Amino acid sequence: MTTEAAPGPGPALSPELGPAASPIAAGSDWRGLTLRQQVARLLVVRASGHASDGQRRYPRWELPNADLRRHLQSGVGGVILLGGSAQELALRCRQLRAWAGQPLLLCADVEEGVGQRFEGASWLVPPLAIGRLQAPGPAEREAAPAAPPTGPRAAAEAPAAPSPNPEALAERYGRCTGRQARLLGLNWVLGPVCDVNNNPANPVINVRAWGEDPATASRLATAFLRGAQAEGVLCCTKHFPGHGDTSSDSHLELPLLRHSRERLEAVELPPFRAAIAAGVASVMTAHLLMEALDGARPATLSPAVLDGLLRRDLGFEGLIVTDALVMEAITAHHGPGEAALLAFTAGADLILMPADADAAIDALVAAIDSGAIPRQRLEASLLRRERALAAVAPAAGQPAASAAIDPAWGGRNGDPNGPLVSPAEASLARELVALSLETRGPAMGSTPSSPPAPLAAGPGLNLIRLDNSLACAFLPAMAPALVRPAGAGYQSCLIDSRSPSPWSGDPQAPLALERLPGGPVLLQLFVRGNPFRGSAGGEEPWPAVVSQLLATGRLAALAVYGSPYLWESLRPLLPAALPAAYSPGQMPLAQALLLDRLGLAAAALEGGFTD
């Protein structure tokens, strides 16, 4: 059993956050600013974690440095960051604060640990991996399979092994995320996801959720935020009032939910109520239409949802932030100024990623100048922002966290922060992968003392399915999923949205084997719901492919990374003699531990080398 490092020197938030009792953060007072500067404080713009404009991964949304600096010097109050290493992020946060000359809200979507977005920090399994440790899935409620599975549910049947405590794991997960975010200069973690993923076909929430039922999602999401906010960062529960049962992605279109208010009270709202009761600092809105609440406007733009349901009915007094206003669910229907104005009028405090920051500021200034929006409404949002910043401000005389660590992540002059990834956090990452790993057939761990069966001798084919091989953080050139099979004589072939079609058109034998190299096949499927993907992967004929490869005698082993729903659909097809394993994680650590179970030991050059 591992223990977590003691909380660092950052200011821990109380369970209730207590914003009204917080002192004003130095430099955050907005009362002497012009109206335009006050409005700008409420915008959060997108920037790359890389320092150079040429390194931006998403230049469509990430501002060039000249515009970013201009906005910050004009009063813009927040930045959301993505991309770069952990070291780069720390330097970038210092740079942004220097440009602004005032306290900023600096945030990132680090739902799966800071390393999910910034290389060098801890990348943890998706939250649903923990949520599924305590609940049997549909396959386990059916007849026993030909070969007993291993993993989180089978582990519970072994009397000698203690059952994992998902709530404790979720709190440790939050502490790890909050501590590393704070050390690198972030003060706002855009998590936890409080959506209940009760729709396996959900293309965008999926494994990002903490649970598939309201009780599990509530317990684990609040445990995460307790841990993270105890490390001195703000948390943000999302996507209110609930995005878990959608079958479309709001990054691409406007989802519609026709559930009754009674159903929302029973399923979608409980995790948000629990997070609010636990003192979450902020709530992010969802770009979806819920007919029972407002049949005309999506939640982000709806006074009935934000001012009515969230503020009045649920009693939330913290910051309300929109989801990114550049998403198609909004931009397909509203211009940047109109969208910002509608969101603010509905009750949002912070405007995240407007399609045009200047247009958003112009629209809000004009509405306040004309009296369409009362000045008191603006001041209420500024006061909430001020209190949130004060809750995570460094103590008097202490520098911002990212200024207190040196490039080697060791403490300066004995600073107790220590390394970025503590030994306890490294242990946690490995523990979570091991606990959520499932195996079948003659793979190591199928029985308590069974060694891994060797993979069929090559030459063979390492067939990998992924979304996009050109922008794939979990599959660098020396990833275990590539180099370990290569060491066993298996040639890699990647299938993604840009590759030539691998499909034959025959539903009984969908894989065009004649287009692929011969020999035994190691099939590795990286499938999960992700923003912009548009589906959860269920439309692809992998069950038929597995049956086809079994019928031709070519399937040597199966590895599934990401979607538990895909794994559950394939598992009944697998013969007892076939090595197979599943991990909810897709990162290199998950690949390494899974392939260990399939008998593929670490390769000599795993992890890469300098050319």
Side-chain angles (χ1 to χ4, degrees):
M1 181 176 179
T2 61
T3 57
E4 281 298 286
L13 277 61
S14 71
E16 296 80 21
L17 189 60
S22 302
I24 295 174
S28 66
D29 194 356
W30 43 266
R31 292 160 185 82
L33 301 178
T34 67
L35 174 59
R36 188 172 187 85
Q37 290 171 324
Q38 289 179 346
V39 167
R41 284 285 198 270
L42 303 180
L43 265 63
V44 181
V45 297
R46 170 79 171 264
S48 170
H50 294 290
S52 167
D53 286 346
Q55 294 174 292
R56 290 177 295 160
R57 290 171 54 191
Y58 303 100
R60 177 182 173 187
W61 299 304
E62 293 166 353
L63 294 172
N65 280 326
D67 288 344
L68 181 60
R69 185 169 189 168
R70 174 178 64 83
H71 282 308
L72 292 175
Q73 291 176 343
S74 299
V76 163
V79 181
I80 178 172
L81 293 127
L82 175 65
S85 68
Q87 279 189 326
E88 288 176 294
L89 174 64
L91 295 172
R92 187 66 151 164
C93 287
R94 294 184 211 176
Q95 180 186 55
L96 297 176
R97 287 192 172 97
W99 284 352
Q102 51 111 355
L104 293 173
L105 288 168
L106 296 176
C107 62
D109 279 310
V110 287
E111 300 161 1
E112 298 169 27
V114 177
Q116 177 194 11
R117 304 297 188 190
F118 306 100
E119 186 177 3
S122 294
W123 191 348
L124 307 176
V125 296
L128 193 60
I130 301 176
R132 288 172 67 88
L133 288 177
Q134 59 188 19
E140 282 66 45
R141 291 192 288 267
E142 299 172 357
T150 66
R153 301 181 189 100
E157 300 170 4
S163 297
N165 182 337
E167 199 164 341
L169 291 170
E171 186 163 347
R172 291 168 62 196
Y173 194 123
R175 281 194 173 272
C176 172
T177 303
R179 175 183 174 274
Q180 292 182 15
R182 176 178 52 77
L183 283 177
L184 295 172
L186 301 175
N187 55 12
W188 190 18
V189 168
L190 298 183
V193 170
C194 277
D195 305 309
V196 179
N197 194 70
N198 56 1
N199 180 356
N202 192 312
V204 64
I205 302 302
N206 208 261
V207 294
R208 300 164 62 196
W210 283 93
E212 297 162 301
D213 63 86
T216 301
S218 298
R219 284 195 303 272
L220 299 187
T222 53
F224 171 92
L225 78 88
R226 281 198 307 271
Q229 290 195 165
E231 291 292 342
V233 296
L234 307 168
C235 278
C236 181
T237 183
K238 57 189 184 183
H239 306 81
F240 186 83
H243 209 313
D245 197 17
T246 59
S247 56
S248 56
D249 180 2
S250 52
H251 294 80
L252 303 173
E253 58 185 311
L254 180 63
L256 170 64
L257 285 181
R258 292 192 167 93
H259 298 315
S260 68
R261 177 64 184 260
E262 291 73 24
R263 150 62 193 250
L264 299 179
E265 291 286 352
V267 177
E268 275 75 19
L269 294 182
F272 293 98
R273 290 186 183 274
I276 291 168
V280 71
S282 60
V283 173
M284 180 180 287
T285 67
H287 300 332
L288 51 79
L289 199 63
M290 283 194 171
E291 288 186 332
L293 302 176
D294 187 332
R297 290 183 177 177
T300 296
L301 310 181
S302 171
V305 175
L306 303 189
D307 263 345
L309 177 59
L310 183 53
R311 286 274 187 233
R312 184 180 64 246
D313 297 352
L314 272 62
F316 181 61
E317 297 179 353
L319 285 168
I320 299 177
V321 56
T322 71
D323 204 345
L325 293 186
V326 295
M327 293 162 61
E328 288 295 322
I330 300 297
T331 58
H333 306 280
H334 305 281
E338 180 190 21
L341 182 57
L342 288 172
F344 191 74
T345 303
D349 297 300
L350 302 178
I351 307 300
L352 176 66
M353 289 178 63
D356 183 328
D358 289 312
I361 295 171
D362 289 343
L364 289 169
V365 167
I368 296 167
D369 255 340
S370 70
I373 296 177
R375 178 75 71 137
Q376 293 88 337
R377 168 70 182 83
L378 171 65
E379 292 174 352
S381 290
L382 289 166
L383 184 59
R384 291 187 191 103
R385 177 183 179 274
E386 175 183 86
R387 289 171 174 171
L389 277 168
V392 292
Q398 289 191 0
S402 60
I405 50 179
D406 65 22
W409 308 121
R412 286 181 176 172
N413 302 319
D415 188 321
N417 283 336
L420 174 62
V421 179
S422 71
E425 290 163 349
S427 177
L428 173 65
R430 190 175 185 90
E431 179 183 356
L432 291 174
V433 172
L435 282 171
S436 56
L437 189 63
E438 299 185 41
T439 59
R440 276 185 59 92
M444 182 173 65
S446 295
T447 62
S449 59
S450 62
L455 196 66
L461 173 63
N462 176 27
L463 188 60
I464 296 178
R465 181 266 177 227
L466 68 168
D467 286 343
N468 184 350
S469 59
L470 299 180
C472 190
F474 59 76
L475 202 70
M478 304 305 289
L482 295 172
V483 298
R484 291 193 185 189
Y490 281 67
Q491 175 186 349
S492 292
C493 177
L494 275 57
I495 299 174
D496 70 1
S497 58
R498 292 175 170 83
S499 64
S501 173
W503 309 120
S504 66
D506 179 354
Q508 302 303 314
L511 196 60
L513 292 176
E514 69 277 4
R515 304 177 199 168
L516 300 171
V521 177
L522 167 60
L523 182 61
Q524 299 195 74
L525 304 177
F526 291 86
V527 176
R528 56 172 277 182
N530 274 316
F532 294 101
R533 188 170 183 273
S535 79
E539 78 287 357
E540 297 173 342
W542 295 113
V545 168
V546 167
S547 296
Q548 176 188 4
L549 292 173
L550 287 171
T552 57
R554 292 192 59 184
L555 188 60
L558 171 68
V560 177
Y561 306 91
S563 171
Y565 311 114
L566 176 62
W567 170 246
E568 287 171 351
S569 72
L570 299 178
R571 189 168 53 191
L573 306 175
L574 305 178
L578 184 82
Y582 161 72
S583 174
Q586 296 183 327
M587 61 284 201
L589 175 62
Q591 299 166 32
L593 269 62
L594 185 152
L595 293 173
D596 281 344
R597 299 289 184 94
L598 296 185
L600 286 169
L605 296 179
E606 192 168 300
F609 57 93
T610 301
D611 57 11

